[in-house]
Amino acid sequence: MHPLTAEWISKAKGDFATAQRELRARSSPNYDAACFPAQQCVEKYLKTRLQEAGQVIPRTHDLVVLLNLLLPVEPAWTHLASDLRARTVFGEAFRYPGFICRPYNGA
């Protein structure tokens, strides 16, 4: 594993832990505050795979752009496009008025 890959993984795990802490808050959980690090976790794992594939990692938060760069090395990931499109919104929209992040109910 490339040393930079380990750094990407460490940062992704940190984002995941941050999102989990907020989702588990017993008093006044802030779901908006969980959405952003959740999106960041996915972004960093996609960039981790780009790093391992020896590709240039672009400065973008668009998960679909990252997926499209990965499809030549991970063609089976095509089915992730619609989910990643929805999760890209988490990177910005929920940080500003007009959008509300709600807990996932499994539906």
Side-chain angles (χ1 to χ4, degrees), residues 79-102:
H79 72 280
L80 298 173
S82 63
D83 285 340
L84 293 179
R85 191 171 298 109
R87 278 144 186 87
T88 293
V89 174
F90 291 172
E92 286 191 18
F94 294 112
R95 296 171 64 198
Y96 301 99
F99 295 93
I100 297 171
C101 190
R102 303 216 187 279

Side-chain angles (χ1 to χ4, degrees), residues 31-102:
Y31 296 113
D32 286 359
C35 289
F36 179 66
Q39 183 278 338
Q40 286 289 288
C41 176
V42 174
E43 177 183 327
K44 287 174 182 140
Y45 274 120
L46 291 171
K47 289 179 176 181
T48 295
R49 185 62 186 101
L50 285 170
Q51 174 67 44
E52 278 298 289
Q55 295 189 27
V56 174
I57 299 171
R59 291 188 178 264
T60 183
H61 300 294
D62 189 323
L63 303 178
V64 176
V65 167
L66 296 172
L67 175 64
N68 287 334
L69 292 172
L70 282 167
L71 288 178
V73 293
E74 295 291 354
W77 290 8
T78 304
H79 72 280
L80 298 173
S82 63
D83 285 340
L84 293 179
R85 191 171 298 109
R87 278 144 186 87
T88 293
V89 174
F90 291 172
E92 286 191 18
F94 294 112
R95 296 171 64 198
Y96 301 99
F99 295 93
I100 297 171
C101 190
R102 303 216 187 279

Side-chain angles (χ1 to χ4, degrees), residues 2-48:
H2 190 281
L4 197 52
T5 301
E7 287 185 49
W8 279 113
I9 290 171
S10 177
K11 294 208 176 271
K13 286 180 177 180
D15 288 333
F16 183 76
T18 298
Q20 289 293 101
R21 269 194 307 274
E22 195 56 47
L23 290 173
R24 286 192 304 259
R26 292 177 189 253
S27 176
S28 303
N30 181 344
Y31 296 113
D32 286 359
C35 289
F36 179 66
Q39 183 278 338
Q40 286 289 288
C41 176
V42 174
E43 177 183 327
K44 287 174 182 140
Y45 274 120
L46 291 171
K47 289 179 176 181
T48 295

